[in-house]
Amino acid sequence: PAGLSLTVPKHAEGISAGMDAELYVRPEDIQVVERPASGVNALPADVLACSYQGSFTHVVLGVEGMENLLIAAPASPTTDALAPGQPINLQFDLERATLLPA
């Protein structure tokens, strides 16, 4: 979303401070957390709907400036307790993501 600030690895080719970019993160590299760890990249979101599926939960998220996101979050104490209206964060490691110039 517009205005999102990320800490970018030094080896991100073609990306410089303040530049628009597109971020690609594999679903298995995204963690649902209530509060991101200090210094870790995270995207704030609001839970719109969730459906427990056993080993995972389908979660529909509202993110400012983006279309709704649908994720399949692995079962955990955090994801099992998700409820509509709850603010959460999607935490990810940019070392495992792809960042390309927009």
Side-chain angles (χ1 to χ4, degrees), residues 33-96:
V33 296
E34 289 184 39
R35 291 179 195 86
S38 179
V40 174
N41 289 302
L43 179 65
D46 292 310
V47 175
L48 301 178
C50 45
S51 174
Y52 179 72
Q53 302 292 314
S55 63
F56 65 94
T57 299
H58 277 142
V59 186
V60 179
L61 300 168
V63 179
E64 186 177 335
M66 295 178 66
E67 293 182 21
N68 291 348
L69 300 175
L70 172 63
I71 64 168
S76 74
T78 300
T79 57
D80 291 349
L82 292 176
Q86 179 179 354
I88 58 138
N89 288 276
L90 300 176
Q91 180 174 289
F92 51 91
D93 180 357
L94 274 178
E95 294 289 338
R96 299 197 38 87

Side-chain angles (χ1 to χ4, degrees), residues 18-45:
M19 183 176 188
D20 287 342
E22 293 183 3
L23 177 68
Y24 298 89
V25 183
R26 294 189 57 84
E28 61 269 22
D29 292 330
I30 298 172
Q31 297 173 330
V32 175
V33 296
E34 289 184 39
R35 291 179 195 86
S38 179
V40 174
N41 289 302
L43 179 65

